Amino acid sequence: MLGGTTKQTHFSKEQKHYHNFHNFTELKNFTMNKLFKLLSLLLFLSISMPVLAQVNPQNLSNVRVDELSDDQVRAFMRQVESSGLGDAQLEQIAQARGMRPEEVKKLRDRVEKLKSGAKKSAANADPNKVSKNDNGRSLNYEQDSIQVEKDPETEAEKALLELRAKIFGADLFKNKNQTFEPNLNIATPKGYIIGPNDELLIDISGNSEASYELKVSPEGLIKVEFVGPIPVAGLTIEAATARIKSRLSTVYAGMRDGSTRVNVAIGSIRSIKVILTGEVKTPGTYTLPSLATVFNALYSSGGPTENGSFRAIELIRAGKKIAVLDIYEFLMKGEIATNLKLQDQDIIRIPVYQSRIELVGEVKRPGIYELKAGETYANLLNYAGGFTENAYQARVKVLKNTDTERKIADLAKEQFASYQPTTGDKYFVDRVLERFTNRVQIEGAVFRPGAYELESGMKLSQLIQKADGLKEDAFMSRGYITRLKSDNQTQIISFDVAAIISGKTLDISLQREDIISISSIFDLKEEYKVSIDGEVREPGEFNYAQNMTLEELIIQAGGFSESASPQRVEISRRVKSSDQNSEQAKTAEVFQINIEKDLNLSVPKFELQPFDIVSVRSSIGYEIQRQVKIEGEVLYPGMYTISNKNERVSDLVERAGGLTALAYTKGASLKREGATKVRGLDKNDAKAQAQLAEEEKLKLNKLKRLQETAMDSTATIKDEEVLKNVYVGINLEKILLAPKSSADLILEEGDVLRIPKELQTVKVNGEVLYPVTTSYTQGKTFKYYVSQGGGFSERSMRKRAYVIYANGSVKSTRKVFLFNNFPSIEPGAEVFVPKKELKKPVSAGEIVGISSALASMAVIILNLVK
């Protein structure tokens, strides 16, 4: 019951005679009230249902909840709430009027969905509003919003922000995720002081059961039914419980013997006003929960400013300082003994700091620290978390302020516990030096190279033993020691490794930072390789091994390929003693060896030397199939295998069954793409891929050079196929009339012979006004087709125009006296007009320069003549 009314009351047997009449009256009032609400709902349904569903209000069987809008359902909910009825009564009446159960369920879901959406909207609109907790406790006011630090705008603000970031403890109030809000879920503290606007929850149990929700009036009273007003303001919750129990025992006799019990707790808590002043980020009066502590108030205000103290925050109550809060105690030890609960009109004052010291360098928490009187450098170091692992701890540098200038001092380790820093001091903790007092190193052909401790009187042989000895490939003739002299210059000391190990020479005493180097025999010579190419499966370069034979190298290369010949295998070897004065001096020694193809061990083997090059030849007469392709207007187009070395174009046409009736022989073209294009390229064959890419690159470069020399440097061929493939201009009519003639070319692997149908168009490209493809007209000239493209443009180079014919041949414009003789046009041809090269106009300065040079030259000539 809010505001002093009872939610539910049951009386003891001693009071039945008093309450019977009261209960009857209450039941009568309850029945009349419910009846009035039911009548109101029926009236509402009679009015609103025709609007919602356009049906008879007495018959809701045809209502479709899915057809109702959210606004209609909300209006319906408001009408129900105004009538005082709940959702359960609404469902009962809807079922009584014939609404189907599934529609009733849909209506319930719609109502719950709209209610949950309204709650979420309210929460998003007011994020600082505290909702009611599980134990029923809530705030009965709107709490002041927490101060959020804005991003700095001016240079001064940035400097203050940087300073604040260094101050130890400032981050505590900077973290937006840490709120220090009072916990409303805890049990009511026994020392909690009750005040106006607090809500008390009184629960009576045992022989009698009743519960009350009573708010404390401004006069400090609560009014309990049948008991009267009880003053509770200013009492602790424990004292208030005793007083309420005493007053209730006059009505509930069972409380005297313990058969009836009472429990008093805080429901909705009141607000208090707290004043924050001094060096506080946002000073002023704050509204806080009555459970709030000093930390809650500090966080709400943003904490101390850059000049505020973190160690002497005062809590003033009724004009007296009752506590001093030291934030360092909380940060370092987690102690909150002085974090007292606040009362209404408390004052929190943050004074200006008295002493601040900066500590930088190799400490775990560099920053600016506030020290109290009597604290030493050891306390400062403790606040900073101590030294890091790399700190130089024997001595610390300190910069101090005098009355006129600054000075530097050294603080020894023995003074840490007694030295008291003064405000403005800045302490520097350096790193340990990157040097070793007792290190020696060994590298090279030992089993465990690295750094080792230099023991007293340590010798070279002892260090080698510590490194688990020498490797088998160690170079025993010489090693060396790199040693630091007294002036830090280096010197080299050589020694005989074998003699040191055997003890034949005097052992060498080691010094600090000596570096011993023992080379491997492989480090002192070139890496030995042998290579093989030709008809093996995996040609390439291989590591040489002593006593390696020719057959072993072939096996490493994957063995012979199918076309390989074991006869006349050639090995070329480096010459080490050539006579450079002889004209016939040898540059290489060549051997030709016949070996068994099965590489057996029955015959003597040829032993290889480092850097030998082996070449395996192909078998005599071995040929792989080579294929060409014919497409277009022949009877049997497709792939054909070249049957002999001198097979020609005419032979291929004959094998393809000859030409069809629509074949256009003038447009026949021969394209040489290469063997890989026709046979198909294995994607996993890296060597073939690289070879193809190289061939394409050579073709492109060759065609570009032809363009530049035969046509013009500004001319471009736009057809990508022309750039990528070499077209061989052929005259198929002449070939078929005179087979085996010089015009009848011998076929090569990868050739593609294309014989098109009769072509009826001509392309016009390049520097014309409108590039176009137009129909071919017998007898029309070059200029006619250019006019079909709108004519020459202003930047066209007419004298360099050329025609690409259907068979891949190209003809350019020739000069006959002063006139351009343009090429003739045939079906399928492409006219291309290149662009003029832009000429930079001569500037005024250049004209003046040329004129001056000419004038000077004229004067010189005249002087010479005179």
Side-chain angles (χ1 to χ4, degrees), residues 587-778:
T587 58
E589 191 175 0
V590 178
F591 305 92
Q592 287 187 345
I593 306 297
N594 297 330
I595 62 175
E596 297 292 332
K597 196 161 187 178
D598 58 2
L599 306 175
N600 60 55
L601 295 170
S602 59
V603 295
K605 306 301 179 186
F606 183 86
E607 192 171 304
L608 299 176
Q609 295 295 326
F611 311 110
D612 280 357
I613 299 175
V614 178
S615 299
V616 180
R617 310 300 180 191
S618 177
S619 298
I620 299 174
Y622 184 90
E623 295 285 346
I624 61 171
Q625 301 94 325
R626 294 178 297 158
Q627 289 189 304
V628 294
K629 186 177 183 181
I630 185 170
E631 56 186 23
E633 294 301 314
V634 291
L635 294 179
Y636 301 102
M639 301 294 298
Y640 288 85
T641 300
I642 299 175
S643 59
N644 52 68
K645 291 185 177 181
N646 66 341
E647 189 165 358
R648 299 174 181 265
V649 173
S650 59
D651 299 326
L652 179 60
V653 174
E654 183 180 355
R655 289 175 63 185
L659 305 177
T660 65
L662 297 177
Y664 180 56
T665 54
K666 288 186 178 181
S669 62
L670 180 64
K671 183 169 62 176
R672 286 195 161 150
E673 291 185 314
T676 53
K677 285 281 186 178
V678 177
R679 288 200 306 264
L681 185 63
D682 184 3
K683 294 181 179 179
N684 297 323
D685 191 344
K687 183 178 178 181
Q689 291 276 8
Q691 182 181 356
L692 176 62
E694 186 64 25
E695 289 176 0
E696 294 288 350
K697 185 178 178 180
L698 291 174
K699 289 179 185 178
L700 287 171
N701 292 336
K702 182 178 179 181
L703 278 174
K704 287 177 181 177
R705 286 196 301 272
L706 288 173
Q707 279 184 286
E708 292 171 359
T709 55
M711 301 174 193
D712 184 74
S713 60
T714 60
T716 57
I717 299 176
K718 292 187 177 182
D719 189 354
E720 190 175 348
E721 286 298 317
V722 174
L723 282 176
K724 283 188 175 181
N725 307 291
V726 176
Y727 281 84
V728 181
I730 61 172
N731 189 335
L732 188 59
E733 284 184 326
K734 185 176 179 180
I735 289 173
L736 296 179
L737 290 175
K740 310 298 182 182
S741 64
S742 59
D744 193 3
L745 300 180
I746 296 175
L747 296 174
E748 294 182 7
E749 184 177 14
D751 284 352
V752 178
L753 179 61
R754 186 174 181 274
I755 304 171
K757 290 181 181 179
E758 185 174 353
L759 303 174
Q760 299 177 330
T761 60
V762 174
K763 284 184 180 180
V764 183
N765 278 324
E767 288 302 314
V768 294
L769 296 178
Y770 187 77
V772 69
T773 300
T774 184
S775 60
Y776 173 76
T777 304
Q778 181 73 27

Side-chain angles (χ1 to χ4, degrees), residues 17 87 166 200 224 251-252 362 365 439 543 743 765 830:
H17 65 282
D87 295 340
K166 294 180 180 179
L200 298 184
V224 183
V251 178
Y252 296 92
E362 293 299 321
R365 284 195 296 262
R439 181 180 68 172
N543 291 325
N765 278 324
E830 179 178 359

Side-chain angles (χ1 to χ4, degrees), residues 60 64 76 95 124 200 290 461 527 570 592 651 768 778:
L60 303 180
R64 299 289 183 271
F76 186 46
Q95 288 178 353
N124 292 335
L200 298 184
S290 55
S461 60
E527 188 177 8
E570 189 173 276
Q592 287 187 345
D651 299 326
V768 294
Q778 181 73 27

Side-chain angles (χ1 to χ4, degrees), residues 184-406:
L184 301 181
N185 291 322
I186 62 173
T188 304
K190 295 297 183 182
Y192 179 77
I193 305 298
I194 299 172
N197 272 342
D198 275 341
E199 184 183 60
L200 298 184
L201 305 178
I202 303 175
D203 185 33
I204 301 171
S205 59
N207 289 342
S208 299
E209 294 186 357
S211 61
Y212 300 92
E213 294 179 2
L214 306 174
K215 185 173 288 187
V216 180
S217 67
E219 292 77 20
L221 304 174
I222 59 171
K223 188 175 181 182
V224 183
E225 198 170 11
F226 311 119
V227 176
I230 304 174
V232 293
L235 300 178
T236 64
I237 191 67
E238 192 171 13
T241 301
R243 179 172 292 185
I244 292 169
K245 182 177 180 181
S246 175
R247 293 291 300 273
L248 288 176
S249 63
T250 61
V251 178
Y252 296 92
M255 288 190 181
R256 299 188 189 97
D257 58 11
S259 59
T260 301
R261 296 171 297 279
V262 64
N263 181 61
V264 180
I266 298 296
S268 297
I269 60 176
R270 71 183 186 279
S271 65
I272 59 174
K273 297 289 185 180
V274 178
I275 301 171
L276 283 96
T277 184
E279 293 297 325
V280 64
K281 195 73 181 293
T282 311
T285 302
Y286 287 81
T287 302
L288 299 171
S290 55
L291 290 175
T293 64
V294 179
F295 263 122
N296 304 140
L298 288 174
Y299 187 80
S300 296
S301 64
T305 64
E306 292 75 19
N307 293 324
S309 172
F310 282 75
R311 309 203 61 187
I313 299 172
E314 300 171 353
L315 176 60
I316 301 171
R317 182 173 296 163
K320 296 181 180 180
K321 182 167 65 175
I322 65 169
V324 177
L325 180 67
D326 186 350
I327 294 178
Y328 281 23
E329 293 294 322
F330 170 73
L331 294 174
M332 300 301 298
K333 304 176 184 177
E335 294 181 359
I336 53 174
T338 54
N339 185 28
L340 302 180
K341 284 189 171 53
L342 298 173
Q343 294 186 15
D344 195 34
Q345 300 306 316
D346 277 354
I347 297 175
I348 299 174
R349 190 181 79 88
I350 302 179
V352 176
Y353 71 87
Q354 296 301 315
S355 174
R356 271 192 186 161
I357 293 91
E358 187 172 0
L359 182 58
V360 297
E362 293 299 321
V363 290
K364 294 176 182 175
R365 284 195 296 262
I368 299 174
Y369 294 87
E370 182 179 351
L371 294 187
K372 289 182 178 180
E375 289 188 320
T376 65
Y377 177 79
N379 299 119
L380 174 64
L381 188 61
N382 179 49
Y383 295 144
F387 291 115
T388 65
E389 295 77 8
N390 298 320
Y392 174 61
Q393 303 181 23
R395 186 177 290 103
V396 174
K397 292 185 180 68
V398 55
L399 292 181
K400 302 179 70 67
N401 295 328
T402 66
D403 293 338
T404 58
E405 56 190 0
R406 307 199 75 183

Side-chain angles (χ1 to χ4, degrees), residues 832-850:
F832 193 87
V833 182
K835 184 189 298 184
K836 282 182 181 178
E837 185 177 2
L838 290 176
K839 294 183 179 180
K840 184 180 178 181
V842 181
S843 64
E846 291 173 336
I847 294 174
V848 171
I850 294 172

Side-chain angles (χ1 to χ4, degrees), residues 452-714:
Y452 289 87
E453 176 191 1
L454 175 61
E455 299 172 352
S456 178
M458 191 175 191
K459 302 292 186 179
L460 175 58
S461 60
Q462 293 174 324
L463 178 59
I464 295 174
Q465 290 176 2
K466 269 194 170 184
D468 284 352
L470 299 173
K471 289 184 178 180
E472 294 80 356
D473 59 334
F475 182 63
M476 303 298 289
S477 299
R478 182 181 291 269
Y480 61 90
I481 300 172
T482 304
R483 176 165 292 176
L484 284 179
K485 297 169 67 177
S486 58
D487 58 356
N488 266 1
Q489 294 189 59
T490 58
Q491 65 175 342
I492 299 296
I493 302 173
S494 299
F495 61 90
D496 188 330
V497 179
I500 290 290
I501 295 299
S502 63
K504 292 181 179 179
T505 61
L506 186 64
D507 212 344
I508 302 174
S509 297
L510 298 179
Q511 297 180 12
R512 183 184 69 86
E513 293 298 338
D514 277 355
I515 301 175
I516 293 85
S517 300
I518 299 175
S519 301
S520 167
I521 57 175
F522 300 111
D523 296 333
L524 303 177
K525 65 180 180 180
E526 187 177 358
E527 188 177 8
Y528 289 167
K529 298 281 187 179
V530 288
S531 61
I532 184 170
D533 56 31
E535 298 301 321
V536 289
R537 296 180 64 244
E538 296 178 6
E541 196 174 54
F542 297 88
N543 291 325
Y544 171 78
Q546 196 169 5
N547 300 325
M548 187 177 190
T549 64
L550 173 62
E551 288 80 2
E552 289 164 350
L553 176 60
I554 293 173
I555 291 173
Q556 288 190 37
F560 289 118
S561 65
E562 185 185 14
S563 60
S565 170
Q567 308 300 316
R568 298 176 66 85
V569 176
E570 189 173 276
I571 299 98
S572 59
R573 180 169 294 169
R574 290 183 179 181
V575 176
K576 298 180 181 179
S577 57
S578 176
D579 184 5
Q580 296 300 316
N581 296 320
S582 172
E583 293 182 356
Q584 297 181 351
K586 279 190 173 184
T587 58
E589 191 175 0
V590 178
F591 305 92
Q592 287 187 345
I593 306 297
N594 297 330
I595 62 175
E596 297 292 332
K597 196 161 187 178
D598 58 2
L599 306 175
N600 60 55
L601 295 170
S602 59
V603 295
K605 306 301 179 186
F606 183 86
E607 192 171 304
L608 299 176
Q609 295 295 326
F611 311 110
D612 280 357
I613 299 175
V614 178
S615 299
V616 180
R617 310 300 180 191
S618 177
S619 298
I620 299 174
Y622 184 90
E623 295 285 346
I624 61 171
Q625 301 94 325
R626 294 178 297 158
Q627 289 189 304
V628 294
K629 186 177 183 181
I630 185 170
E631 56 186 23
E633 294 301 314
V634 291
L635 294 179
Y636 301 102
M639 301 294 298
Y640 288 85
T641 300
I642 299 175
S643 59
N644 52 68
K645 291 185 177 181
N646 66 341
E647 189 165 358
R648 299 174 181 265
V649 173
S650 59
D651 299 326
L652 179 60
V653 174
E654 183 180 355
R655 289 175 63 185
L659 305 177
T660 65
L662 297 177
Y664 180 56
T665 54
K666 288 186 178 181
S669 62
L670 180 64
K671 183 169 62 176
R672 286 195 161 150
E673 291 185 314
T676 53
K677 285 281 186 178
V678 177
R679 288 200 306 264
L681 185 63
D682 184 3
K683 294 181 179 179
N684 297 323
D685 191 344
K687 183 178 178 181
Q689 291 276 8
Q691 182 181 356
L692 176 62
E694 186 64 25
E695 289 176 0
E696 294 288 350
K697 185 178 178 180
L698 291 174
K699 289 179 185 178
L700 287 171
N701 292 336
K702 182 178 179 181
L703 278 174
K704 287 177 181 177
R705 286 196 301 272
L706 288 173
Q707 279 184 286
E708 292 171 359
T709 55
M711 301 174 193
D712 184 74
S713 60
T714 60

